[in-house]
Amino acid sequence: MSETINYTARELLNDGSEIEIRALRREDEADMLAAIGKTSAQSLHRRFFVMKRHFSDNERAFFMDIDFKNHVAIVALTDEAGHKVIVGGGRYIVFEPGRAEMAFVVVDSWQGRGLGSILMPHLVKFASDAGLQELTAEVLPENAAMIKVFGKFGFRPAARRDPQTLHLVLKLG
């Protein structure tokens, strides 16, 4: 997966804004935390399923320990006042051979511009190229926007593990 570590692409959002998609790097931690700081409590709840504003040292280490084999993460960046800032990101984590769970977060001011739909195919391609057979996602039922994005890419509802979440699955290959 060495090509994933150095991955970068340019994309256009629905409104014509250009963003850079690239692999999350260890040195991105401060920028990632800054992006989380710009994200509403409601959006963070939709991502983590609990009210979350701060991360422990262990949580930060987990989110930044990307091996690009079992834990793949990408970020979306834009130029703001002459420097790049993270406005969203997605990742998948392999939880058993051939299967991984995906998740996304987008800074509120960037939601509704197609960023999730831009991040998704990059991660699906990495997963497919890595030989994964299935991607899953857990989504809160009220998160209609993410349910729509997952549906657009072929994710289908499957048996639920938790009655409070919608379990979605995409078969690869």
Side-chain angles (χ1 to χ4, degrees):
M1 278 269 208
S2 60
E3 66 277 0
T4 306
I5 294 169
N6 298 311
Y7 186 78
T8 186
R10 293 227 170 265
E11 297 275 3
L12 290 178
L13 296 176
N14 295 342
D15 64 5
S17 302
E18 185 174 293
I19 56 165
E20 177 185 355
I21 306 294
R22 70 161 168 76
L24 179 67
R25 301 174 184 151
R26 193 164 291 286
E27 62 267 20
D28 289 331
E29 183 174 354
D31 291 333
M32 186 182 78
L33 291 172
I36 294 294
K38 297 178 196 172
T39 306
S40 71
Q42 180 185 39
S43 292
L44 293 174
H45 180 261
R46 287 180 174 166
R47 165 61 179 87
F48 297 104
F49 303 168
V50 295
M51 294 312 272
K52 190 114 189 116
R53 184 51 63 193
H54 302 285
F55 296 89
S56 70
D57 290 343
N58 285 344
E59 288 170 320
R60 286 197 317 269
F62 173 79
F63 285 117
M64 297 308 297
D65 186 21
I66 312 302
D67 65 8
F68 292 99
K69 183 177 185 306
N70 293 311
H71 190 169
V72 173
I74 58 174
V75 291
L77 301 108
T78 190
D79 285 316
E80 225 174 66
H83 67 283
K84 294 192 186 256
V85 296
I86 295 174
V87 295
R91 68 182 64 229
Y92 70 75
I93 299 170
V94 175
F95 61 88
E96 67 180 45
R99 299 177 72 209
E101 183 173 359
M102 297 184 86
F104 297 89
V105 68
V106 175
V107 171
D108 290 60
S109 61
W110 287 82
Q111 291 177 9
R113 298 164 87 176
L115 190 49
S117 293
I118 286 174
L119 290 166
M120 179 76 75
H122 294 274
L123 285 173
V124 170
K125 180 176 181 349
F126 296 149
S128 185
D129 289 351
L132 297 179
Q133 291 95 38
E134 184 178 281
L135 290 170
T136 67
E138 302 294 325
V139 184
L140 293 173
E142 71 265 17
N143 194 348
M146 272 317 301
I147 292 168
K148 183 178 176 183
V149 170
F150 281 115
K152 176 179 171 181
F153 288 92
F155 281 76
R156 297 292 173 247
R160 296 178 185 202
R161 294 179 228 164
D162 175 354
Q164 304 300 315
T165 64
L166 181 60
H167 181 68
L168 302 171
V169 175
L170 174 68
K171 301 287 186 189
L172 301 172

